[in-house]
């Protein structure tokens, strides 16, 4: 799969295949699961490739609403079921919602590697 990007007015989602990293940045406040479907589809397509690791780089994601957190949660649950893929999440310790919400992903996917920088 090649480099892919989903852009909105206040956010961007970039897939970097060389590092199997998805960089999500900006303010992601889409209306509901239908609006998050292209991002969820991209994540699922990457998972279907069965890379050893998928990294979600959220360090520059300043805001994520509850629908976005739900999308990430569903992806973490799907990754828990795929025993062959290590899910890594890199967040920012300086962004309040990340300190609180990203810890919850560990409950959904216990083998997740969470790093707050």
């Amino acid at each position: 799969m090649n480099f892919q990007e989903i852009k909105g007015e206040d956010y961007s989602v970039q897939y970097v295949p060389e590092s199997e990293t998805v960089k999500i940045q900006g303010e992601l406040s889409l209306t509901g699961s239908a609006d998050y479907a292209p991002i969820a589809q991209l994540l699922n397509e990457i998972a279907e490739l069965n890379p050893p690791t998928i990294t979600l780089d959220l360090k520059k994601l300043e805001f994520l609403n509850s629908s976005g957190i739900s999308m990430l949660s569903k992806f973490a649950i799907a990754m828990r079921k795929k025993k062959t893929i290590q899910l890594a999440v890199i967040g920012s310790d300086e962004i309040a919602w990340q300190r609180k919400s990203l810890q919850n992903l560990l409950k959904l996917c216990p083998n997740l590697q969470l790093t707050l920088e």
Side-chain angles (χ1 to χ4, degrees):
M1 179 182 277
N2 295 328
F3 175 86
Q4 289 193 7
E5 184 170 25
I6 300 169
K7 285 187 93 162
E9 195 172 308
D10 300 326
Y11 70 91
S12 72
V13 178
Q14 300 174 329
Y15 172 57
V16 183
E18 297 81 22
S19 59
E20 288 172 343
T21 299
V22 179
K23 295 181 179 186
I24 305 175
Q25 46 197 350
E27 294 183 13
L28 199 46
S29 57
L30 303 176
T31 315
S33 59
D35 289 340
Y36 278 99
I39 299 169
Q41 181 179 350
L42 174 62
L43 293 174
N44 291 328
E45 287 174 6
I46 296 165
E48 287 174 17
L49 298 172
N50 282 316
T53 303
I54 296 174
T55 302
L56 302 180
D57 182 346
L58 309 178
K59 292 182 302 226
K60 295 182 180 176
L61 184 59
E62 296 166 24
F63 179 80
L64 184 67
N65 67 1
S66 59
S67 295
I69 291 171
S70 175
M71 176 207 53
L72 283 182
S73 297
K74 288 177 183 174
F75 184 66
I77 290 168
M79 290 301 91
R80 177 181 69 200
K81 295 174 183 174
K82 279 192 170 261
K83 305 284 188 205
T84 58
I85 300 174
Q86 172 67 59
L87 180 60
V89 176
I90 303 169
S92 172
D93 197 37
E94 296 177 13
I95 300 175
W97 78 264
Q98 291 191 19
R99 272 195 314 273
K100 295 175 185 174
S101 299
L102 293 181
Q103 295 291 334
N104 292 331
L105 293 177
L106 289 169
K107 296 174 186 169
L108 302 172
C109 185
N111 66 335
L112 178 137
Q113 284 183 325
L114 176 60
T115 306
L116 294 175
E117 299 177 346

